[in-house]
Amino acid sequence: MQTKKITVTGLVQGVGFRPAVAELAEECKIAGQVKNMGGVVEIIASGENEAVEKFLHRLSLLPVGRIDSLKVQDVPYDAACTSTTFVIAESSNGREEVRLLPVDFSTCDRCREELFDKKNRRYRYPFISCTGCGPRYSIQRAVPYDRDSITMGDFEMCPECLNEYTKKGNIRRHAQTIACHTCGPTLKLVGLDSGGKFVAIEKDTEVILAQTVKALKEEKIVAIKDIGGFHFAFSPMSSAAAKRLREFKHRDKKPFAVMFPGIEAIREFCEVSSKEEELLTSNARPIVLLKKKKDFVTEICGESDRMGAFLPCNPLQIILLEETGPLVMTSGNRGGEPIITGDEEMKRLMEEGCPDFIVTHDREILTPLDDSIYQVNGSFVQLLRRARGLVPEPIELAHPLGADTFAAGGDLKAVFALGRGKMVYLSQYFGDLEEVRCMKQRRNAIARMEGLLALTPEISVGDLHPAYVSAKETNAKVQHHMAHVASVIAEHQLEGKVLGIACDGTGYGTDGTIWGSEFFTYNNGEMERVGHFGTVRLLGGDAGAKDADKTLFSYRMEARERGLSIGDEIRQKTETDQLGEIERLQEMAWKQKINTALSSSMGRLFDAASALLEICHYNSYEGECAILLEQAAHKGKERFLYLPEAEREKLLTVDVTKHDDMWIADGVKLIADLSELKRQYENGQELLSYLFHHAIATAIVTMAEFAGKEYNKVVLSGGSFLNRILLSEVAEGLRAAGKEVYTNEKVPCGDGGIALGQIFYSMGKKFL
Ligand SMILES: [Zn+2]
Ligand SMILES: [Zn+2]
């Protein structure tokens, strides 16, 4: 006889791990117990030597959750456990180095089958779940993960559920989210009567479902409570609903995401590669940006050649979509405001005109979570937003942190992070902190996450930008683009010398100018700026970033000072008296440096090109000009490939020169040359868009070769690398030059990933 104490770390809570262990122990004739301790699982296993060995071996192969480590110790049996059988014991607290909290799981195939099985007692029950599926992090109140530590604790199990919960071999044995028509959460449908008063239908699931489907078919807008918060849903065949919602959300053009009942339905509208299919059906059920084959009404995707598509992640969505077909599912809030989880707030919006109905339920959401967003970009899989289904899964570093650390992230696409040991836990996405409600939601989330992880940071680190509210109370600062680069080094656990390239819209530089196209060498934990695209004096500072015409104007002024010219004739063509007056004022402001900022932003360089080529003149949503420029470039590439090879490489290039110790790529001359080409090529919009991309990509590779001769590893980060042409051509060029290329895959390459970089780059540094 022998007795072992086994400590299991990994993703072992909220995944049906303990019941699986119990079943295995019973099969192997092992006595003892299994329990959640803090964030780990502790097992006492006692039996014949052979039985214990068999149990240990099979435990390591258990196909439930994810075991990261098994620590096995010999213990005297009586001291450990008094049971003569194998039991699932009461959970207890503990504070361990590595704590893994379960992510929210999408409905599993088995539950889906039961959902449509007329003989099943959970037939069409919108909250069906099991040990392998259902909400987790979004409803978790405390650790360890248990019925009473999640918001399902509000519902007392009926005898039948209790029986399943305790029965050996049942798929809902110890499923903490177990519920049924009798005992679990119920739907509620809220509408407004003709007098503007709220009316509600409660507890009659079938009536509510039928009315919801009817409303959606009648082009109504319905707010539906999902795992992480409310969505606004409406038919993608309805121009009227789309227009109404765009107006209500103050969202002019940004495409809406569409939820489809199944992968085949997506294929009808979009091209889906096998990698994209894998993402769409992955547990997070994320939105994946796909190439559009055909459109719904034009108000859904606008001018975009892509569509954000996704699949239902919970039983309610599955039931509804089966009957309605595809639905637009967009976050249920006004533009710029945080995702809504409470009925009262949604009712207020209803009174303001949108939605027409609210489908809600009585299971409380504790962590608001948006949908995660991915795209496949050449050989890379990129995250645009890391949220439901992925948070709070940590990123593992190569080396442990010296102290527990908080990283504030940035103010835009705000995400914070907490680090302990080798683990960095990134929060959900909060949007822009300019909005006070986003700030509040973030503040609550920090307290909640610190509590769940039992983590009290000793060090706090934020962005260098003096105006960032996120960084206000942090005691250390990391430059924005250094954090971007560091985030890639961190997630790929790179060692040794690295050349880092960060291209994006804006970040505060160490010299007080606005950076955005930065080349760094990384040695022994230190970064040094060794190159960038030329600095331009831009009108309007940070706030002018939306107006691409204004940016082009600044480029034109800069060019004129250097004896170059950027399409002055275009200006005359569109010039009215009023425009002329605006430009005279702008010229004065630019010359006298009133409200101007020096900037090496890649995003603004793309804006200037977009305005010059008359593709898009204003960013009504973030990155719109660059996105439409890229779209035109995809078409232009074909024409480019028809040109004689010797000729096409010379058409448009970027001058790269060294000033003091800094490599500079000349963006102003690039725009001037592009303007000259515009004169030569009639209807050349698309070709020139591509030439512009190609020239920038070539320049980045050249800079990397010049500035990083002894650097074999190159990392790419920053929002500009979401651009498919830029990323693939830069990566290809660098690989051809013998470099290893890395970019963000576990966190977004945009500002949603910088918190990871902040933690990594502050590691081991002494701060005052
Ligand atoms: Zn299930
Ligand atoms: Zn029940």
Side-chain angles (χ1 to χ4, degrees), residues 498-708:
V498 175
L499 183 79
I501 306 173
C503 295
D504 68 358
T506 179
Y508 190 82
T510 58
D511 57 0
T513 68
I514 304 298
W515 290 7
S517 56
E518 311 308 314
F519 291 68
F520 301 102
T521 53
Y522 173 80
N523 288 300
N524 303 318
E526 290 299 333
M527 271 187 227
E528 195 189 338
R529 190 190 195 204
V530 292
H532 58 89
F533 276 65
T535 302
V536 178
R537 194 194 310 155
L538 294 176
L539 278 169
D542 276 359
K546 286 185 175 174
D547 189 341
D549 280 339
K550 213 184 217 184
T551 300
L552 177 61
F553 181 83
S554 300
Y555 268 83
R556 187 180 292 135
M557 294 303 295
E558 197 83 37
R560 211 181 277 168
E561 295 238 317
R562 288 175 45 190
L564 301 166
S565 150
I566 297 176
D568 284 330
E569 89 287 355
I570 298 155
R571 187 167 60 97
Q572 280 151 16
K573 204 169 68 187
T574 58
E575 197 165 347
T576 63
D577 281 349
Q578 203 190 0
L579 251 178
E581 181 58 25
I582 291 170
E583 294 220 342
R584 267 188 294 282
L585 285 172
Q586 284 183 349
E587 188 167 337
M588 197 174 74
W590 192 87
K591 282 186 172 154
Q592 297 180 3
K593 302 182 187 172
I594 298 165
N595 190 22
T596 58
L598 292 172
S599 166
S600 57
S601 162
M602 182 61 77
R604 304 296 291 275
L605 178 56
F606 270 74
D607 284 354
S610 166
L612 175 75
L613 297 177
E614 291 168 77
I615 285 175
C616 183
H617 297 271
Y618 190 84
N619 289 298
S620 79
Y621 59 90
E622 197 206 1
E624 183 180 2
C625 289
I627 288 167
L628 294 180
L629 189 69
E630 180 195 332
Q631 208 167 294
H634 283 288
K635 294 182 191 147
K637 189 173 178 181
E638 284 164 38
R639 196 166 151 195
F640 172 81
L641 293 174
Y642 271 112
L643 300 171
E645 202 171 338
E647 231 172 80
R648 67 194 188 199
E649 293 300 330
K650 286 185 212 142
L651 275 174
L652 189 65
T653 55
V654 185
D655 293 349
V656 175
T657 48
K658 196 173 188 181
H659 299 266
D660 300 323
D661 280 334
M662 196 66 76
W663 288 97
I664 308 283
D666 193 345
V668 174
K669 179 152 185 304
L670 172 67
I671 296 292
D673 291 348
L674 189 64
S675 147
E676 180 54 35
L677 282 175
K678 193 184 166 196
R679 252 187 290 264
Q680 295 170 21
Y681 283 85
E682 235 172 87
N683 302 321
Q685 220 183 21
E686 290 170 352
L687 173 67
L688 297 189
S689 298
Y690 177 72
L691 280 175
F692 173 79
H693 277 76
H694 186 61
I696 299 244
T698 309
I700 289 174
V701 174
T702 306
M703 295 266 282
E705 285 185 283
F706 287 162

Side-chain angles (χ1 to χ4, degrees), residues 108 111 129-130 133:
C108 72
C111 285
S129 69
C130 68
C133 77

Side-chain angles (χ1 to χ4, degrees), residues 128-144:
I128 187 171
S129 69
C130 68
T131 47
C133 77
R136 298 288 187 268
Y137 184 62
S138 61
I139 59 168
Q140 189 168 1
R141 223 175 240 141
V143 171

Side-chain angles (χ1 to χ4, degrees), residues 103-139:
V103 299
D104 297 289
F105 296 109
S106 55
T107 305
C108 72
D109 290 345
R110 188 139 57 155
C111 285
R112 194 192 170 106
E113 242 169 67
E114 289 189 14
L115 188 63
F116 292 117
D117 175 4
K118 280 188 182 147
K119 283 175 284 193
N120 193 283
R121 68 185 198 90
R122 292 189 181 83
Y123 175 61
R124 287 172 71 82
Y125 179 54
F127 304 94
I128 187 171
S129 69
C130 68
T131 47
C133 77
R136 298 288 187 268
Y137 184 62
S138 61
I139 59 168

